[in-house]
Amino acid sequence: MAEVDGQVSEQAGAIRVRALAAIEGAEAMEDLQRVEREFTAKNGPVGALLASIKTAPPLERRGIGQAVNELKGAITCALEQRREALAADRLAAERRADDFDPTLPAASLDVGSLHPLTHVVRRLEEIFTQMGYAVLDGPEVELEFYNFDSLNIPGDHPAREHFDTFWCRSEAPEAASARLLMRTHTSPVQMRALERMELPFRAIVPGRCFRNETTDASHEHTFHQMEGLVVGEGITVGHMMGAMKTFLRELFQKDLEVRLRPGYFPFVEPGFELDVRCPFCADRKTRGCSVCKRSTWIELCPSGMVHPVVLRHGGVDPERYTGFAFGLGLSRLVMLRFGIDDIRHLLGCDLRFLSQF
Ligand code: DAH
């Protein structure tokens, strides 16, 4: 056994001497790579030594394994040192060259940027959390109950036609009583919030919505909304107007008028269309611009006082509590904010568009 051990260590020592000499003698990276391949290849000298384990008596195998590992370690270490030395030589040579110019700008790296939607959502979250709102989330694949029935839109309600719904197919027998769909608005999270939050509360829900619509410059099957919901004792339309003015002042950095027009949505009573004075031409003498189509007003969001039926569905006593809700069209707001003229850019993944933000 001792004899074989001695033989192995002799072989390992010889390989080591040859390898270290070859590594030391490598004058360029390419040479070094060649030496590395030569010595570390499976059929190279180290590989052959390792292969001898198979035919060695069991008691000697351990010794062979150890010798091979030490040899590999020594070779790897020498390769690393030589690689560093060659890299340093190369850099030094480049610096000595006549055309070396340390003042040249470095090659620019392609770095990503935030999506315009992310910019706006982050800003809105900042503004509303400062006003005491919680930021909530809800499922995009939603139960029919939350998306419609609980919001006072039963199966035969004509308002359902307003939502071109993507229904999810399900083979499950319970499907009829719990049909799934892609949520058509962020309003179902109103009901989830009523069920879950302690009263009083204020919340916003930014999120994706889906409608089975023909797409064009202002319609997309996937778009973003931000729901707002405030419930407490004595909440009035005045609170809603105040909240909207505050958030608009923060977003556009100026005081903007808001106005209400009557609007109909089954889950609010009364319901409104809330308009804002066009932030893009409000200061100018000549009132009206292309953004507000010369009217000086921009439709901002539908809103209203939460319908008593909705509060009751959420387990809240409408005799004691009231609330307001609004459904901000986030995609539209982003388009307004950045002057984007086609909603399809938002989810289009075109880097020429995205890299502008
Ligand atoms: N969810 C409605 C839609 O997408 C918009 C809406 C209207 C939201 C009135 C509200 C609201 O919160 O109060 O058409």
Side-chain angles (χ1 to χ4, degrees), residues 55-199:
T55 50
L59 281 175
E60 292 166 16
R61 291 184 181 168
R62 189 187 159 126
I64 299 179
Q66 262 172 4
V68 169
N69 278 342
E70 273 166 31
L71 178 60
K72 274 188 184 165
I75 293 178
T76 310
C77 182
L79 279 168
E80 200 45 49
Q81 279 175 5
R82 188 69 192 137
R83 201 173 288 127
E84 277 171 24
L86 286 176
D89 286 353
R90 184 187 282 181
L91 197 64
E94 275 173 12
R95 290 207 179 127
R96 277 194 306 272
D98 289 341
D99 58 357
F100 177 69
D101 180 356
T103 64
L104 280 181
S108 67
L109 290 176
D110 273 343
V111 285
S113 58
L114 290 182
H115 193 282
L117 263 161
T118 312
H119 278 294
V120 172
V121 169
R122 287 201 182 165
R123 183 72 192 112
L124 288 173
E125 288 184 356
E126 215 171 71
I127 295 172
F128 276 98
T129 46
Q130 276 167 10
M131 290 160 68
Y133 286 65
V135 181
L136 304 182
D137 203 4
E140 292 177 345
V141 176
E142 186 52 286
L143 283 161
E144 178 181 15
F145 171 75
Y146 285 101
N147 197 83
F148 289 130
D149 302 67
S150 72
L151 294 173
N152 203 21
I153 319 177
D156 54 357
H157 199 287
R160 283 214 184 184
E161 276 163 36
H162 164 70
F163 300 102
D164 308 283
T165 309
F166 284 117
W167 291 94
C168 303
R169 206 174 290 137
S170 170
E171 311 288 309
E174 69 278 8
S177 59
R179 285 205 293 171
L180 288 170
L181 47 77
M182 300 305 291
R183 70 173 177 200
T184 59
H185 50 176
T186 43
S187 303
V189 192
Q190 283 193 26
M191 187 52 54
R192 293 184 175 274
L194 286 172
E195 288 176 349
R196 199 174 86 200
M197 301 284 281
E198 247 174 70
L199 295 168

Side-chain angles (χ1 to χ4, degrees), residues 162-163 184-185 187 190 211 225 227-228 265 267-268 302-304 325-327:
H162 164 70
F163 300 102
T184 59
H185 50 176
S187 303
Q190 283 193 26
R211 288 188 201 173
Q225 286 190 340
E227 200 75 12
F265 308 94
F267 37 95
V268 281
S303 57
F326 56 90

Side-chain angles (χ1 to χ4, degrees), residues 3 16 40 97 105 151 165 188 201 234 245 321 330:
E3 198 183 318
R16 182 189 182 118
T40 59
L151 294 173
T165 309
F201 72 85
K245 277 190 185 165
Y321 294 98
L330 255 188

Side-chain angles (χ1 to χ4, degrees), residues 1-14 49 60 64 67:
M1 181 180 139
E3 198 183 318
V4 175
D5 259 357
Q7 211 178 323
V8 167
S9 62
E10 210 170 280
Q11 279 175 14
L49 193 60
E60 292 166 16
I64 299 179

Side-chain angles (χ1 to χ4, degrees), residues 309-326:
V309 165
V310 174
L311 289 174
R312 227 174 276 127
H313 278 153
V316 173
D317 178 6
E319 298 296 328
R320 183 164 168 209
Y321 294 98
T322 51
F324 67 81
F326 56 90

